[in-house]
Amino acid sequence: MKVRKRYRISIEDESRLRQVASVSVSPGMLWAGGIAAGLLLVIFSALLIMATPIRTLMPGYLKKGERYEAKQGLLRIDSIRDAYRINSMYLSNILTVLDTDRTPTDSLLKESTPNKLPPDSLLPASPREIEFITRMKDREQYNVSILAPLAADQLRIYPVATGATIAEQSHNAAKPRILTTKGSPVCAAADGRVLAIQNPAPEGGSAIVIQHDNGFASRYSHLGTPTVSPGAHVDGGSVIAHGASGGAIGAGFFFMEMWYDGNPVEPAKFLVL
């Protein structure tokens, strides 16, 4: 009969000449115990790295700021690549036009038009969501909706005055009366360039006309002293005039008009107050 090899681990108390504990294991059990201990160590190390800031010390891990800079760098590279491709097409077109030996034909290179995105596949609003939106509209019917910037086609809208509201009787008008505190400054609704300044304006006080991007334009009237000049670039949210006070009659409000592609629109659908 073949004798199986086994290992014995004993703990003895030499002062009392007695055995405290003894364990007998086979080589297979010893290997299995070592593998199990190694797996537990690996699992514990992985959990420790994932649940603590130690992971930021691992090679290849980007911090939040570094990850943002890397993303911006990739976007800049894409923009440079697109600009390079367009410039290459432009130079190729110039060389083609200057080539007197070419066969007359329309051979201009053009940037391809990207495919349109598929329609939104989001689920329709649930009854509770519709009820919430209706309740919020009833509550904020005389204030500008916080979702108003979404209505402006890719135009970022900024507050035109601090603590201002639209008068109830002119909420849906093309030229609403915006109520403010006396002397409160008036700000540009979006980035743009000052087209004209009227002083005095037909409404009293001063009036400022600003051309924005994407076909938008705005006019602010019944203002106090302008702080900008014709032709100046203004940032959205920057002060363009002092409030209706001093030379302007009826302090405490001003008028605003907006146009999109030359057509008047209701400012209340776009404004943020």
Side-chain angles (χ1 to χ4, degrees):
M1 182 176 178
K2 186 177 180 180
V3 178
R4 295 183 179 180
K5 183 183 294 185
R6 298 183 67 85
Y7 298 96
R8 180 177 296 276
I9 301 175
S10 301
I11 301 176
E12 297 181 352
D13 186 355
E14 294 183 352
S15 62
R16 299 181 181 180
L17 300 177
R18 68 185 181 88
Q19 185 174 288
V20 177
S22 177
V23 178
S24 177
V25 296
S26 64
M29 294 176 60
L30 192 61
W31 277 102
I35 293 174
L39 289 176
L40 289 176
L41 181 61
V42 170
I43 295 174
F44 175 77
S45 301
L47 292 176
L48 182 65
I49 291 174
M50 289 188 296
T52 63
I54 295 178
R55 64 180 182 275
T56 60
L57 303 178
M58 296 184 63
Y61 184 90
L62 292 178
K63 297 180 180 179
K64 183 177 181 181
E66 295 174 347
R67 188 182 300 109
Y68 174 79
E69 292 178 359
K71 181 179 179 181
Q72 294 300 315
L74 292 175
L75 292 176
R76 285 193 290 268
I77 290 175
D78 290 342
S79 300
I80 293 174
R81 183 181 58 190
D82 293 341
Y84 171 77
R85 183 175 65 254
I86 294 173
N87 288 336
S88 297
M89 292 180 180
Y90 174 76
L91 293 176
S92 298
N93 293 334
I94 295 297
L95 294 176
T96 302
V97 172
L98 296 179
D99 185 6
T100 57
D101 297 330
R102 70 181 179 89
T103 303
T105 180
D106 187 7
S107 58
L108 294 180
L109 300 175
K110 297 186 297 181
E111 181 74 4
S112 61
T113 302
N115 296 329
K116 293 184 178 181
L117 295 176
D120 194 355
S121 59
L122 293 177
L123 295 175
S126 63
R128 292 187 62 185
E129 183 178 354
I130 296 176
E131 179 186 357
F132 173 78
I133 294 176
T134 304
R135 187 167 64 250
M136 290 300 296
K137 285 183 177 179
D138 293 339
R139 174 183 173 183
E140 301 293 332
Q141 60 179 333
Y142 300 123
N143 292 326
V144 178
S145 171
I146 59 174
L147 302 179
L150 299 179
D153 183 18
Q154 298 180 356
L155 184 70
R156 184 175 182 182
I157 305 296
Y158 295 82
V160 294
T162 302
T165 58
I166 298 178
E168 177 182 350
Q169 63 275 17
S170 63
H171 189 269
N172 296 323
K175 187 178 180 180
R177 179 193 297 255
I178 300 178
L179 306 177
T180 64
T181 58
K182 182 176 180 180
S184 177
V186 178
C187 306
D191 298 345
R193 188 170 301 278
V194 179
L195 291 183
I197 295 179
Q198 296 175 281
N199 193 5
E203 301 86 352
S206 302
I208 299 176
V209 181
I210 299 178
Q211 177 67 57
H212 307 288
D213 295 333
N214 303 318
F216 280 89
S218 59
R219 180 177 182 269
Y220 315 79
S221 57
H222 196 272
L223 305 175
T225 305
T227 59
V228 294
S229 56
H233 174 81
V234 294
D235 296 327
S238 62
V239 177
I240 59 174
H242 297 295
S245 60
I249 60 174
F253 69 90
F254 66 94
F255 298 101
M256 184 173 179
E257 302 165 83
M258 290 187 72
W259 295 266
Y260 177 61
D261 287 343
N263 299 315
V265 296
E266 296 178 13
K269 294 181 178 180
F270 303 95
L271 288 183
V272 177
L273 296 179

